[in-house]
Amino acid sequence: MTSEFFELLKEAAKIVGIDVSDKVEWKKLSEVAKYSKDRISFENLNEKNYVGVENLLKNRLGKIDSNNVPTEGNSVKFNMGDVLIGNIRPYLRKIWLADIEGGTNGDVLVINIDKKHKNKILSRYLYQILSDEKFFDYNIKYSKGAKMPRGDKEKIMEYKIPLPPLPVQEYIVSILDKFDALVSDLSQGLPKEIELRQKQYEYYREKLLNFEK
């Protein structure tokens, strides 16, 4: 976890013609994404593709199977590539990038990229931006309620995100995904190792996403 290593990453990026601070636009989240308004029937849901806030894992560790699948009605639909964020107690930092189609409820926010911006932002890049500690600090700051705080949906959509060119996004994601895989797969290390990986992951995410406004 050294600044020297990050300098090597930047040098490697330049070798392949990528500047991690070049041509960055800043956009409100609402300018590139929206909350899902689609619905999915309970008949299409199971323990694998129903995601409630209770089966989202804290500290960005993804999800587990659900024990509380609806048996009637419709749920909020999510698609592959959507970002799901637990909206109860934002300080738990519950977030997951959907790799399947499924459903959830009002306690989980489903954020999907607008069709007209599909060619401007990668879903995995958006996930990394919203996994960043800066976003969670922002979300916690504007959350409402004392005992059971909830994120402010309007404020979340006002959050400003950096939009570098796609090759830069791809480069950033390629680095952070490796840390993501190590941290998320608990079978790959002991708790102390996992803690160290998480700190390292946060360090490099902070560096790679630190664009000047």
Side-chain angles (χ1 to χ4, degrees):
M1 255 186 346
T2 65
S3 58
E4 289 83 0
F5 183 73
F6 179 64
E7 290 302 320
L8 289 176
L9 290 181
K10 290 199 293 185
E11 287 179 18
K14 288 181 180 179
I15 289 173
V16 294
I18 296 174
D19 184 342
V20 293
S21 62
D22 182 41
K23 298 178 182 177
V24 177
E25 294 182 83
W26 286 84
K27 299 280 189 182
K28 288 183 179 180
L29 185 57
S30 62
E31 294 182 85
V32 299
K34 64 185 188 309
Y35 294 120
S36 174
K37 294 182 179 180
D38 296 334
R39 295 293 181 266
I40 185 171
S41 170
F42 75 96
E43 297 172 329
N44 297 314
L45 299 176
N46 54 54
E47 69 279 1
K48 298 288 185 183
N49 72 347
Y50 181 75
V51 180
V53 72
E54 69 281 352
N55 63 295
L56 281 174
L57 299 174
K58 65 180 182 179
N59 295 326
R60 315 172 181 88
L61 289 178
K63 77 170 186 70
I64 56 175
D65 290 349
S66 174
N67 293 318
N68 192 27
V69 181
T71 56
E72 61 181 6
N74 295 322
S75 298
V76 178
K77 183 182 180 181
F78 62 81
N79 295 302
M80 186 181 298
D82 288 350
V83 180
L84 278 64
I85 301 174
N87 201 39
I88 295 178
R89 297 187 290 179
Y91 56 82
L92 293 178
R93 295 164 174 79
K94 294 186 172 186
I95 188 169
W96 176 62
L97 179 64
D99 56 7
I100 53 176
E101 178 186 288
T104 184
N105 56 44
D107 294 332
V108 176
L109 304 179
V110 177
I111 297 175
N112 52 49
I113 299 171
D114 274 332
K115 291 181 179 179
K116 62 183 179 181
H117 286 95
K118 289 285 186 182
N119 62 343
K120 293 183 179 179
I121 181 169
L122 302 174
S123 58
R124 292 206 66 83
Y125 176 77
L126 179 60
Y127 165 77
Q128 293 292 356
I129 287 289
L130 298 180
S131 294
D132 188 50
E133 194 63 22
K134 289 178 182 177
F135 170 73
F136 283 111
D137 286 345
Y138 175 93
N139 198 10
I140 293 166
K141 177 181 178 181
Y142 291 105
S143 61
K144 299 177 180 179
K147 291 185 178 180
M148 194 71 72
R150 289 175 177 266
D152 186 320
K153 294 177 69 174
E154 290 187 7
K155 280 293 183 182
I156 288 172
M157 280 294 163
E158 292 177 7
Y159 185 70
K160 289 189 176 181
I161 64 173
L163 277 186
L166 284 178
V168 179
Q169 294 182 35
E170 291 168 355
Y171 171 73
I172 291 171
V173 167
S174 72
I175 300 297
L176 295 180
D177 275 359
K178 293 175 183 177
F179 286 103
D180 198 20
L182 285 171
V183 170
S184 298
D185 190 349
L186 301 183
S187 65
Q188 289 193 25
L190 298 173
K192 186 63 177 178
E193 181 185 353
I194 294 167
E195 181 182 352
L196 291 173
R197 290 292 188 182
Q198 284 178 319
K199 289 180 179 178
Q200 190 178 31
Y201 184 16
E202 288 303 314
Y203 175 85
Y204 287 117
R205 184 196 282 123
E206 173 69 20
K207 290 292 186 181
L208 288 167
L209 299 178
N210 186 24
F211 297 103
E212 295 292 334
K213 289 188 179 180

